[in-house]
Amino acid sequence: MISIVVTALGSYGALFLADFTASLTSFLSLLILVFAPWSGVFLADMLLRRCRYDTTALHAGRRGGYWYRAGYHPAGMTALVAGLVFATLTCDSELWTGPLVAPLGGADLTVLSAVVSGLLYAALARHVRPAAPAGAPAAPAGTAATGDGAPAASEGAPAAYDGVPAASPAPRAAPAGRHHD
């Protein structure tokens, strides 16, 4: 009910009390506050991993190597928040003007938040490595650190970097008389 009321009041205000096109443009101009830092982290991660991800681990949820700490990667979240702060401080739009815009002579440096968050992520996530191609032999167990205090890979499992498995282990046949889910 709360959502219906808020949506109805917002729609009424946008359509009848204000210029809809100007309101939409102002709103869209603020999206850069979020999307520029996010894209910086995303692009930095893609470069660090060379666009190689373990797709099985990506979809494994809590059991996957990309779960990190409670589903959040500390380096990624830190870089994203730093980029958001930088973008908020240097944004110049109709709805928000950051406190650093005037000292910068009116310059809107919001787009540079992608660079700030990307560089910070690259510095914090220095243990990120690309996943090994499917079928490639795994590194010997215990040779790679996860970067977040977690133990290295166990015997028979692929080595992990920054909590991300190098490759998904090949499925093994169940021993006779046993059923595995």
Side-chain angles (χ1 to χ4, degrees):
M1 290 305 294
I2 293 171
S3 179
I4 292 171
V5 170
V6 169
T7 303
L9 289 175
S11 299
Y12 176 78
L15 292 173
F16 300 111
L17 301 179
D19 179 18
F20 177 73
T21 305
S23 297
L24 180 64
T25 303
S26 297
F27 169 73
L28 292 176
S29 71
L30 287 181
L31 289 180
I32 196 169
L33 293 175
V34 175
F35 286 115
W38 174 85
S39 65
V41 172
F42 182 73
L43 292 173
D45 190 68
M46 286 181 61
L47 289 172
L48 288 171
R49 296 178 197 272
R50 297 183 189 108
C51 295
R52 294 184 192 156
Y53 293 92
D54 180 1
T55 56
T56 303
L58 277 171
H59 299 286
R62 292 177 188 265
R63 298 178 317 271
Y66 295 99
W67 188 252
Y68 300 107
R69 292 194 178 119
Y72 296 98
H73 188 272
M77 291 304 294
T78 302
L80 179 65
V81 169
L84 285 167
V85 169
F86 181 85
T88 303
L89 293 173
T90 60
C91 177
D92 186 18
S93 73
E94 289 182 28
L95 296 177
W96 171 256
T97 300
L100 296 182
V101 172
L104 293 170
D108 183 353
L109 302 179
T110 311
V111 175
L112 291 180
S113 65
V115 175
V116 169
S117 62
L119 290 175
L120 182 58
Y121 178 75
L124 294 174
R126 60 188 174 273
H127 296 292
V128 171
R129 300 286 187 272
T143 60
T146 60
D148 61 358
S154 62
E155 189 65 38
Y161 297 95
D162 202 23
V164 180
S168 296
R172 292 187 235 166
R178 290 189 177 174
H179 174 70
H180 292 283
D181 292 329

